[in-house]
Amino acid sequence: MRVLFSAWAWPPHYYPMVPLAWALRNAGHEIRVAGPPALAEAITMSGQPAVEVGEDCDFSQLTRDTMHIDRDAPATVELWKQLRKPKGERALQMFVDIAETMVDGLVEFARAWRPDLVVHGPTTYAGPIAAAAVGVPNVRVLMAPDIAYRGRDIEPVLLRPLAERFGVTEFSPQGTLTVDPCPPSIQLPTDYPKQLMRYIAYNGPAEVPEWLLEPPSRRRVCITWGTTLAKVNPNLVLAGQMLEAVAGIDAEVVVTVAPSHREHLGPIPDGIRVVDALPLHLLLPTCDLMIHQGGNGTTMTGVVNGVPQLIVPQFPDQAFVANQLAPTGAAAVLLPEDAGPDTVRGLVTDLLENPQWRAGAGRLADEANAQPAPTEIVPVLERLAAREHATV
């Protein structure tokens, strides 16, 4: 079986599909991963063959345009409230614009290579169009709670002009099948065909540092702030503010940050360890708490490792994820405008000392890790492709 994976040029949107690509390849199937040139390195570093399609776009600028953000605007209460407001059709149109930059190349490659399945992320809209153009099923792989489901009526309308360029009149942005790695207790109720899958955390390649091989001598707190916010507006990065708030607590604090974003942390208090882009799937198994902005991959990596979370959401998708997680007792949510040092410090102390948080995170991790491994759903995808071939 030939399986074509596709993602747009933002590695966190590719990473959730990597374990499934490994599982299919280990089962003997041919894999290609198509994306814009900027994604090629992330693809090849994950051990898969890359196919460059389309052209790169400036996602940071698209985000600023969609959310009406000035790159240098100060972080005010008014800005935080504006940013968290749902963007609806405007946000979906941004992903349609991204699809526009890669759909021609993806369809061209699909028609030449003739895959049996096309696998894509929830906002890689070029994927379902390419699948329909060559008459094969498309499999959508979710990253976290399915925020795109709320736009299910708008997606086909926005994508129809793109699809019609290739003679496609019937296509499914939600997929012939959706692979869902999200624990059901934090997922939206949905009505599409679904296959549950265990979330296997992959956050990119790395070497394990020597200090991480030793058991922590104290409780360990991870602070991370992703990569998107610093590129959109550096003033939105609150990792430095969190550092200041937790300095001096009875815990080891580890900050993992992209090297280019270190400058946004500000002065580093004594006793805090700052590491360059250490993947969370290596660090979090040793942690007692994580503090972050609510990115999909960050949140889900914390979920499967049973780590209590303090989420400070800034964008609508982050607020959505945080609100889905909070009722489980695995996470506390604090709005940016309320995240003063005394409040953060008090909440961090409670998250570390109150056993209810660890219990809630443990229950959610047990639910997540009870779902089928990627290797177990390979036969499901094989049957899906075979069934479609049989009806042609």
Side-chain angles (χ1 to χ4, degrees):
M1 183 168 71
R2 290 183 168 186
V3 185
L4 173 59
F5 283 74
S6 181
W8 53 276
W10 208 251
H13 286 253
Y14 166 60
Y15 288 161
M17 296 187 285
V18 169
L20 183 57
W22 287 340
L24 284 159
R25 191 169 179 183
N26 289 342
H29 300 297
E30 284 190 77
I31 304 297
R32 299 290 185 273
V33 183
L39 191 65
E41 183 178 8
I43 296 168
T44 56
M45 292 296 284
S46 75
Q48 301 298 345
V51 177
E52 293 187 9
V53 296
E55 57 190 34
D56 294 325
C57 63
D58 187 342
F59 176 61
S60 300
Q61 186 60 51
L62 282 173
T63 302
R64 283 192 288 270
D65 292 344
T66 299
M67 303 185 75
H68 303 309
I69 302 173
D70 183 328
R71 190 183 187 283
D72 301 312
T76 62
V77 172
E78 291 72 22
L79 180 61
W80 295 131
K81 291 179 178 179
Q82 173 200 326
L83 293 183
R84 286 197 308 273
K85 289 179 181 178
K87 301 302 183 286
E89 186 172 331
R90 286 214 317 269
L92 294 178
Q93 182 61 54
M94 177 178 71
F95 294 115
V96 173
D97 292 343
I98 292 172
E100 173 81 44
T101 68
M102 59 184 288
V103 67
D104 291 279
L106 188 63
V107 171
E108 180 181 3
F109 176 74
R111 284 174 170 168
W113 194 57
R114 306 302 303 181
D116 300 290
L117 289 175
V118 175
V119 181
H120 58 89
T123 55
T124 303
Y125 290 141
I129 293 174
V134 295
V136 301
N138 64 304
V139 176
R140 187 177 66 133
V141 179
L142 298 181
M143 303 181 292
D146 189 4
I147 190 171
Y149 184 70
R150 302 194 302 190
R152 62 193 179 279
D153 296 328
I154 306 172
E155 287 174 326
V157 176
L158 295 178
L159 287 168
R160 190 162 293 122
L162 271 188
E164 288 176 348
R165 280 190 357 210
F166 305 98
V168 169
T169 56
E170 297 292 331
F171 59 98
S172 176
Q174 292 181 38
T176 311
L177 177 71
T178 288
V179 172
D180 186 0
C182 199
S185 65
I186 64 171
Q187 187 55 279
L188 291 178
T190 56
D191 58 2
Y192 45 66
K194 177 186 294 189
Q195 170 62 53
L196 295 178
M197 182 183 77
R198 188 187 316 163
Y199 186 90
I200 306 296
Y202 172 79
N203 314 111
E207 295 182 14
V208 180
E210 212 170 293
W211 61 267
L212 198 55
L213 302 177
E214 298 292 331
S217 58
R218 295 189 295 163
R219 294 173 298 185
R220 180 173 284 165
V221 176
C222 166
I223 297 178
T224 184
W225 227 258
T227 57
T228 302
L229 291 164
K231 294 181 178 180
V232 172
N233 178 337
N235 296 321
L236 303 180
V237 179
L238 298 183
Q241 184 175 320
M242 299 299 113
L243 280 182
E244 204 175 320
V246 302
I249 65 168
D250 184 19
E252 176 192 2
V253 178
V254 180
V255 185
T256 176
V257 62
S260 59
H261 296 171
R262 264 188 181 242
E263 62 182 291
H264 306 312
L265 295 179
I268 307 299
D270 292 340
I272 288 178
R273 187 193 299 267
V274 179
V275 294
D276 289 339
L278 178 63
L280 293 176
H281 67 268
L282 298 179
L283 175 60
L284 289 185
T286 72
C287 291
D288 300 278
L289 172 65
M290 60 185 300
I291 304 172
H292 61 99
Q293 85 289 9
N296 289 321
T298 301
T299 302
M300 289 296 293
T301 304
V303 165
V304 297
N305 282 287
V307 182
Q309 306 185 35
L310 171 55
I311 304 176
V312 186
Q314 294 158 268
F315 283 0
D317 58 323
Q318 298 165 357
F320 172 75
V321 168
N323 290 335
Q324 292 298 113
L325 200 64
T328 68
V333 180
L334 190 61
L335 298 181
E337 58 267 32
D338 299 328
D342 292 341
T343 303
V344 171
R345 190 181 183 86
L347 196 46
V348 165
T349 300
D350 187 55
L351 284 158
L352 287 171
E353 295 182 357
N354 187 336
Q356 291 184 353
W357 294 107
R358 174 63 67 175
R363 286 192 300 270
L364 190 59
D366 289 343
E367 181 187 356
N369 293 319
Q371 298 189 156
T375 52
E376 297 176 74
I377 75 162
V378 169
V380 174
L381 302 186
E382 291 170 339
R383 289 193 294 270
L384 176 63
R387 185 172 72 240
E388 293 295 320
H389 279 303
T391 59
V392 174

